[in-house]
Amino acid sequence: MNYSKYNFKVLVVGDGGVGKTSLTVRFTTGSFREDYLSTLGVNFYSKTVDVDGTLIKLTIWDTGGQERFKPLLPNYFKGGQGSLVVFDVTNPETFRSVEDWVEQVRRYCGDIPIILVGNKIDLLSERKVKHEEGVHLAEKLGAPYFESSAKTNEKVYDVFVFLASLIFKYSVKKGSELRSW
Ligand code: G3D
Ligand code: MG
């Protein structure tokens, strides 16, 4: 098979507790841990996906919980090629933070592909941010919108693979050298 391999740096940002680590762990290992402990420092995860016959390795940078205490370091963002901006549909405050997170990503990474993700949709009775509100904000940001559950695994794979395809298309469009090996 004449497969190419690419390596993209993906940032998963959003307020503490929205499910960034759970989504990342679910995507890269296929499991959900109720007892997830937030660690300090940055954690890296990687997984290779097949996007229309092209093998793409995503290296996912998880913030490790320090977003609760201080702004993330520029080093975290440096070289980021795509980002998931995550909020918790049961917590409006995390929804209100979305634009700040997008601003941070834009400041350090420029015009990279971003996907807005409303997580925890399994918590039906606790839901506070409506689907239409997510759609509306995503339109304003010019970003696609997904709703996910790291717990039930709904849309988790789809979100990361869609981001991989956007980064791939974006890199080709820009005519920039893709990082391959
Ligand atoms: P963070 O990395 O953004 O800080 P975590 O968030 O992944 O650590 O998740 C924070 C809490 O939300 C965890 O619960 C986790 O189990 C829960 N969680 C994450 N995603 C989902 C989801 O899709 N559905 C539900 N129901 N819960 C989710 P605890 O209790 O450990 O704080
Ligand atoms: Mg975390």
Side-chain angles (χ1 to χ4, degrees), residues 17-22 32 34 68 119-120 122 149-151:
V18 297
K20 300 180 298 297
T21 301
S22 301
F32 178 78
E34 300 272 2
R68 287 166 222 241
N119 188 44
K120 306 197 190 181
D122 57 287
S149 167
K151 186 164 188 170

Side-chain angles (χ1 to χ4, degrees), residues 5-170:
K5 268 201 168 191
Y6 300 98
N7 192 355
F8 296 142
K9 174 174 174 178
V10 169
L11 310 171
V12 182
V13 302
D15 285 359
V18 297
K20 300 180 298 297
T21 301
S22 301
L23 288 167
T24 305
V25 169
R26 171 61 98 176
F27 172 63
T28 54
T29 72
S31 64
F32 178 78
R33 290 167 55 182
E34 300 272 2
D35 62 345
Y36 211 88
L37 290 175
S38 45
T39 41
L40 291 176
V42 178
N43 296 322
F44 306 90
Y45 301 82
S46 72
K47 190 178 172 83
T48 301
V49 293
D50 183 330
V51 179
D52 302 329
T54 302
L55 286 188
I56 295 174
K57 180 179 172 183
L58 299 177
T59 298
I60 301 153
W61 290 48
D62 183 30
T63 59
Q66 73 272 39
E67 71 280 47
R68 287 166 222 241
F69 314 113
K70 59 175 194 268
L72 300 178
L73 299 170
N75 271 344
Y76 170 81
F77 291 97
K78 202 173 167 190
Q81 291 162 286
S83 178
L84 300 182
V85 176
V86 186
F87 69 94
D88 170 355
V89 299
T90 72
N91 183 342
E93 201 186 317
T94 68
F95 184 64
R96 285 192 289 273
S97 299
V98 162
E99 287 185 89
D100 285 345
W101 284 109
V102 170
E103 200 185 300
Q104 295 261 311
V105 172
R106 294 271 174 252
R107 178 181 313 149
Y108 292 110
C109 307
D111 191 26
I112 61 171
I114 286 177
I115 294 179
L116 179 63
V117 182
N119 188 44
K120 306 197 190 181
I121 53 164
D122 57 287
L123 298 172
L124 293 175
S125 61
E126 292 167 49
R127 182 161 184 154
K128 305 229 171 43
V129 181
K130 293 196 201 87
H131 175 77
E132 307 84 75
E133 294 178 86
V135 170
H136 186 73
L137 179 57
E139 272 171 13
K140 186 176 160 196
L141 297 169
Y145 180 54
F146 279 75
E147 293 191 335
S148 65
S149 167
K151 186 164 188 170
T152 65
N153 204 11
E154 191 169 346
K155 290 287 192 299
V156 177
Y157 190 76
D158 302 25
V159 171
F160 282 99
V161 170
F162 193 61
L163 184 62
S165 72
L166 288 181
I167 300 171
F168 188 66
K169 280 185 208 136
Y170 178 80

